[in-house]
């Protein structure tokens, strides 16, 4: 089953939106396979966002993601990466469609509430960063046959 890494970013945590964010993904049918509350340090932030190093927003991005606790979650299901990204919306909340997490709950690109992996390769890499030595479970729900055909 395809897996993706989701982060509930510090702004969503501070605003009390953690379970709204996670609930939209879970409600869509994606299955939670891993869940952690953690504080990201600078090294972890730079590893996760390495592709953006050198860009003008990079330092701000590192201080944003390290500014308070986050929730890291592994969700799995059919096309989990693409499904999660469409529920999350565009990077800039102003351009995100209503009904998406960012389109309903956010305004600015630097406070866009949630991260979702952009490919299966990224998901594997990012799950390795956030769930290094931590459990990601293989399990089934009794309702899975009503979600996965
Ligand atoms: P994504 O989160 O939709 O995959 P990316 O382009 O991978 O978007 O950027 C990673 C994160 O960096 C974004 O979610 C956002 O928090 C931040 N970011 C991207 N572009 C900008 C920008 O122009 N200004 C401020 N922050 C940005
Ligand atoms: Mg990205």
């Amino acid at each position: 089953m395809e897996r993706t890494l989701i982060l509930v970013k510090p702004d969503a945590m501070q605003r009390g939106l953690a379970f709204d964010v996670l609930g939209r993904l879970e409600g869509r049918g994606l299955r939670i396979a891993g869940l952690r509350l953690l504080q990201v340090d600078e090294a972890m932030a730079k590893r996760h966002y390495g592709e953006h190093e050198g860009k003008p927003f990079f330092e701000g991005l590192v201080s944003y993601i390290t500014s308070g606790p986050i929730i890291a979650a592994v969700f799995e299901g059919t096309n989990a990466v693409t499904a999660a990204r469409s529920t999350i919306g565009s990077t800039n909340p102003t351009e995100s469609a209503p009904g998406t997490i960012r389109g309903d709950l956010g305004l600015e690109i630097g406070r866009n509430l949630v991260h979702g992996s952009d490919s299966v390769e990224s998901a594997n890499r990012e799950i390795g960063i956030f769930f290094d030595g931590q459990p990601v479970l293989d399990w089934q729900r009794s309702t899975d046959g009503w979600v996965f055909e």
Side-chain angles (χ1 to χ4, degrees):
M1 196 66 71
E2 188 170 302
R3 286 178 167 170
T4 189
L5 180 88
I6 301 298
L7 302 179
V8 179
K9 292 177 173 179
D11 50 337
M13 299 296 293
Q14 294 289 338
R15 292 174 58 197
L17 297 172
F19 286 87
D20 188 342
V21 170
L22 296 172
R24 288 169 186 240
L25 297 164
E26 191 186 29
R28 193 156 177 197
L30 295 170
R31 185 172 63 205
I32 296 174
L35 198 62
R36 286 187 72 193
L37 177 70
L38 74 152
Q39 172 71 48
V40 176
D41 65 17
E42 198 176 314
M44 191 184 226
K46 289 186 166 167
R47 219 177 136 203
H48 175 61
Y49 282 126
E51 66 173 305
H52 298 300
E53 201 145 10
K55 294 182 185 171
F57 60 84
F58 184 69
E59 294 306 325
L61 176 58
V62 170
S63 60
Y64 166 45
I65 204 71
T66 58
S67 63
I70 65 154
I71 289 174
V74 177
F75 277 88
E76 61 189 3
T78 316
N79 299 316
V81 167
T82 308
R85 296 270 293 186
S86 69
T87 289
I88 287 169
S90 310
T91 303
N92 187 344
T94 319
E95 291 159 12
S96 297
T100 64
I101 293 169
R102 289 168 174 167
D104 284 351
L105 304 173
L107 282 173
E108 295 196 19
I109 194 165
R111 297 288 183 270
N112 64 2
L113 300 146
V114 58
H115 167 83
S117 307
D118 64 8
S119 66
V120 171
E121 296 68 38
S122 299
N124 290 335
R125 187 182 76 81
E126 293 167 0
I127 290 167
I129 295 171
F130 287 90
F131 286 84
D132 183 26
Q134 305 291 324
V136 178
L137 301 190
D138 273 316
W139 68 295
Q140 261 91 52
R141 300 171 296 198
S142 58
T143 52
D144 275 348
W146 300 104
V147 180
F148 309 131
E149 192 176 351

